[in-house]
Amino acid sequence: MKVPYLLVDAFTESPGSGNRAAVLLDARGLSEEQMRRVAQELETSETVFLTDWKDNVFSVRFFTPVREVEFAGHAAIALAVTLVLQGRLSEGQDRLYLQTPVDNIPVKIDRLESGAVRATMREPAPRFRDVLTWQLVRELVEALGANERYLHRGLPSGVAFSGLWSVFLPLIAPGLVDELEPDMSRLIELSAVLEVDTVHAYAPVGPRAYYARDFAPGLGIPEDPVTGSANGALAALLARAGVVPRREGSAEIQVLQGHHLGVPGVVHVRVEYAVSGKPYAVYVGGPAVIAHSGWVRIE
């Protein structure tokens, strides 16, 4: 049989930039093996399958080219915007919910004056692990093709979660991030040791702006162009370290990503603090645009 799919670019208003996700709006009845094969065939960094729905609640599953993952931020944004653009949300509704394997994700919809649609989701609650040893930091930096002298000593490194586990390494300047030439085999080894899904290198652009690249070879994604979950966790890590300006119980940053691959996008992140001062909620938002439609054969 053949089923329709859409290719949707997230964190951009321009087709051909941002991060592309494959979206199947009716995956009812598909087996896990069938979903895995579809994700391999479509070859985007993530494919999102809509497996059931009722009113404004949508059940979803996410697959990379090699396996299922619990959450994929850019694919969730792509799906939410697509549901609006395809008329799957009732007129006037501005909220929907994505039931994922890891959490029930609330999403707010904004229709912009430009005609674009922006989705802002509350990602899974941020979590953190122990501080990295200096030896592990050095090994990670070397695996990225850099030198420890380029590390930014005023920004945090560490392991954090906001849907997926990522390890974060701060560099002094965006140009150094662009110069990285990772050893993918070594990154796979170190990711397995740390039990993380992605390795995220970032550098400051301003007090509330950062430039990043994200590597996930263990997921079959050598470089993920513009990431939702990793940048959400990055914002939480920065907020926890107290290096992001804070206003009335929240802090906001934007992350520029995808430029090295020629598909630039911008991720907007807001972190809210508990009364204790700890970050407890991460909101990631951006627009998306449908770039292509087609049919995929499923055996």
Side-chain angles (χ1 to χ4, degrees):
M1 65 175 175
K2 287 185 176 181
V3 297
Y5 70 89
L6 298 167
L7 297 181
V8 183
D9 295 334
F11 300 118
T12 180
E13 295 184 28
S14 303
S17 57
N19 198 353
R20 180 159 292 183
V23 177
L24 275 74
L25 290 176
D26 190 351
R28 292 175 298 182
L30 295 187
S31 68
E32 180 175 328
E33 176 61 21
Q34 287 173 320
M35 293 182 193
R36 185 183 63 81
R37 289 203 300 266
V38 168
Q40 287 178 333
E41 182 173 344
L42 295 179
E43 294 185 321
T44 58
S45 54
E46 274 99 12
T47 300
V48 56
F49 297 87
L50 185 55
T51 58
D52 198 10
W53 58 87
K54 183 178 181 181
D55 299 327
N56 66 337
V57 180
F58 301 88
S59 299
V60 298
R61 294 175 72 173
F62 304 97
F63 284 76
T64 75
V66 299
R67 68 174 174 86
E68 184 172 12
V69 291
E70 293 182 330
F71 184 72
H74 90 275
I77 291 289
L79 173 61
V81 171
T82 299
L83 290 169
V84 176
L85 295 176
Q86 295 290 298
R88 299 287 291 270
L89 204 63
S90 300
E91 189 68 29
Q93 278 193 321
D94 64 355
R95 294 188 183 274
L96 59 89
Y97 298 87
L98 301 180
Q99 291 186 332
T100 77
V102 68
D103 205 351
N104 188 30
I105 307 297
V107 185
K108 184 179 183 299
I109 298 297
D110 292 297
R111 295 165 175 84
L112 307 180
E113 291 183 3
S114 64
V117 176
R118 178 190 298 273
T120 302
M121 62 185 171
R122 189 190 70 202
E123 292 195 330
R127 288 184 269 161
F128 309 93
R129 291 189 186 155
D130 293 339
V131 176
L132 294 172
T133 65
W134 178 243
Q135 179 62 29
L136 268 174
V137 171
R138 287 183 60 185
E139 290 184 35
L140 285 161
V141 171
E142 290 171 2
L144 288 172
N147 187 295
E148 63 187 72
R149 292 175 300 172
Y150 299 146
L151 282 169
H152 195 303
R153 304 308 171 96
L155 292 173
S157 60
V159 178
F161 169 94
S162 187
L164 291 175
W165 284 101
S166 298
V167 58
F168 297 92
L169 296 164
L171 300 185
I172 296 169
L176 298 176
V177 176
D178 267 341
E179 290 178 6
L180 297 177
E181 296 182 1
D183 179 340
M184 294 299 175
S185 296
R186 185 61 177 144
L187 284 188
I188 290 174
E189 294 172 358
L190 290 169
S191 295
V193 168
L194 289 167
E195 297 182 333
V196 298
D197 296 299
T198 83
V199 179
H200 202 77
Y202 74 99
V205 178
R208 295 185 181 85
Y210 298 84
Y211 179 71
R213 292 174 67 192
D214 188 82
F215 307 99
L219 297 180
I221 310 167
E223 182 168 354
D224 204 5
V226 191
T227 54
S229 55
N231 284 319
L234 170 61
L237 188 72
L238 293 166
R240 185 190 192 213
V243 296
V244 181
R246 178 174 166 181
R247 295 177 180 174
E248 298 180 355
S250 69
E252 295 186 13
I253 69 167
Q254 63 177 10
V255 183
L256 313 177
Q257 200 180 341
H259 298 67
H260 183 78
L261 298 175
V263 287
V266 181
V267 182
H268 295 273
V269 191
R270 184 178 82 255
V271 180
E272 293 187 351
Y273 297 83
V275 176
S276 64
K278 296 180 180 180
Y280 81 98
V282 175
Y283 294 84
V284 169
V289 58
I290 297 173
H292 176 76
S293 63
W295 294 79
V296 60
R297 182 178 295 277
I298 298 178
E299 304 294 340

